[in-house]
Amino acid sequence: MSRDIEASTLVKAPIDDVFTAIASSEGWDKWFTNGTTIEPRVDGIVHLVWTDVGPDREHMEDRGRVLAYAPPFRFEFTWGQPESVVTVTLSSRDDGTLVELTERGIPAEEAERFVSCAVGWGEALTLMKFWVEHGVTYW
């Protein structure tokens, strides 16, 4: 049995700009990571890197692979151990781009990971929104 996380936000920007932020190495490094590599193709690698993050200035890395890369509407990748699947779907609206994120496959017994990821995705989408709309970076 596993738990699923769902998060969403409206970004007041064109869908292409939001897709670049959410599905590229350069995009992630603007709002959330520093040193990330995303190969923009199905079966491409995902290597997420965080350096000097949080109050303890931690270094963290995670790896996975791209499962879906369909600009500008869908980006899906794996990460974590055991692997979970993160799916990001974008849709255009008159007032911007709706971003819907789901993470599936976190084992039910991993409550700490579930809570950390649930809180983390809310923070991440907020940081991405601030970057795309206002150029505000995490770094």
Side-chain angles (χ1 to χ4, degrees), residues 16-64:
D16 290 325
D17 294 350
V18 178
F19 189 83
T20 298
I22 206 86
S24 73
S25 307
E26 299 80 15
W28 275 63
D29 281 352
K30 292 291 186 186
W31 57 270
F32 196 48
T33 60
N34 51 6
T36 283
T37 301
I38 296 172
E39 291 180 344
R41 60 180 172 79
V42 173
D43 287 328
I45 66 161
V46 173
H47 180 203
L48 305 172
V49 179
W50 296 266
T51 303
D52 293 329
V53 149
D56 296 328
R57 305 193 60 83
E58 296 180 74
H59 177 84
M60 299 177 292
E61 295 187 35
D62 209 328
R63 295 179 185 276

Side-chain angles (χ1 to χ4, degrees), residues 9-11 13-15 90-100:
T9 192
L10 178 69
V11 180
I15 194 169
L90 307 178
S91 53
S92 290
R93 294 211 167 163
D94 289 341
D95 53 352
T97 302
L98 178 64
V99 179
E100 296 175 289

